[in-house]
Amino acid sequence: PSKKGNNIITKVEKEIKRAIQLSGFKNGAINIEVRVSGIGEIFIMEIGPRSGGNFVPQVINYATRFDMIFATLDLFENKNINLHNTLNNCAAYYVLHTDQDGILKSISLKNEIKIHIKEFHQYIQPGEKVYSFQGANAAIGVLLLLFSSPKEMDYYIENMNKFVEIQ
């Protein structure tokens, strides 16, 4: 769920529809990155004919039960794709990272966060070099998470250092 108000979401949806229409895009997965300024201005940062990185299709599936990957395959087979928005679960991804260059010793996950982890993708193994996080190329791994409410999700994301220890 978004923290933005309905008026901002409506403006973003309008701009996305306009951009898609102007681009001539007809069918398939599309990834659009949008930023909203402090005064509510909408900026489209990126449009790409792909389903998104950082496991975005999987997070969307956990949040809505819409399987973007299967829908894309169905599109290639000229099958009908039914879009439904029946769920609005609180799903998120969290990039595991460090603020220091060094060698990864371990990743420790507290039991309290483990119950929320749907998938854990570890890129760097103990004994391998890690780099201070400046971008996605320095990610140690990714957690795909599911929570019962926006408040719970915000709490865990904002306090992840209490639940995940990277040495």
Side-chain angles (χ1 to χ4, degrees):
S2 177
K3 291 182 178 182
K4 301 293 182 192
N6 286 338
N7 61 331
I8 295 293
I9 292 171
T10 299
K11 284 174 67 174
V12 168
E13 288 174 345
K14 182 179 174 185
E15 285 301 308
I16 288 172
K17 287 176 185 175
R18 188 175 76 81
I20 291 171
Q21 185 178 32
L22 288 172
S23 75
F25 188 82
K26 298 292 181 200
N27 291 309
I30 188 166
N31 184 67
I32 301 175
E33 182 179 330
V34 176
R35 302 285 170 128
V36 180
S37 75
I39 59 171
E41 296 171 302
I42 310 301
F43 297 95
I44 295 178
M45 307 299 289
E46 175 187 353
I47 300 175
R50 61 187 181 89
S51 58
N54 285 325
F55 302 95
V56 167
Q58 291 88 331
V59 173
I60 288 171
N61 191 6
Y62 288 125
T64 66
R65 296 266 163 86
F66 176 73
D67 193 322
M68 191 180 301
I69 295 168
F70 279 115
T72 301
L73 295 173
D74 286 347
L75 178 68
F76 291 140
E77 295 178 355
N78 291 318
K79 294 180 181 176
N80 286 334
I81 298 168
N82 296 317
L83 296 176
H84 57 279
N85 192 8
T86 57
L87 291 176
N88 199 15
N89 289 330
C90 298
Y93 71 85
Y94 182 84
V95 177
L96 297 173
H97 62 281
T98 183
D99 294 330
Q100 301 174 28
D101 292 350
I103 303 296
L104 180 65
K105 292 181 185 173
S106 66
I107 300 173
S108 300
L109 304 170
K110 301 260 185 213
N111 287 334
E112 191 174 346
I113 193 68
K114 285 181 182 180
I115 61 173
H116 298 287
I117 297 173
K118 300 300 286 180
E119 297 180 29
F120 176 15
H121 300 273
Q122 187 171 342
Y123 307 141
I124 307 296
Q125 301 302 317
E128 294 179 340
K129 183 110 174 104
V130 294
Y131 299 94
S132 172
F133 190 75
Q134 304 297 318
N137 62 330
I140 295 170
V142 173
L143 300 177
L144 304 187
L145 304 150
L146 195 58
F147 302 97
S148 62
S149 71
K151 184 177 178 179
E152 180 182 54
M153 181 173 67
D154 290 346
Y155 170 76
Y156 280 96
I157 296 298
E158 290 168 9
N159 295 286
M160 194 60 74
N161 60 335
K162 294 179 181 178
F163 310 108
V164 176
E165 183 181 359
I166 296 174
Q167 293 186 341

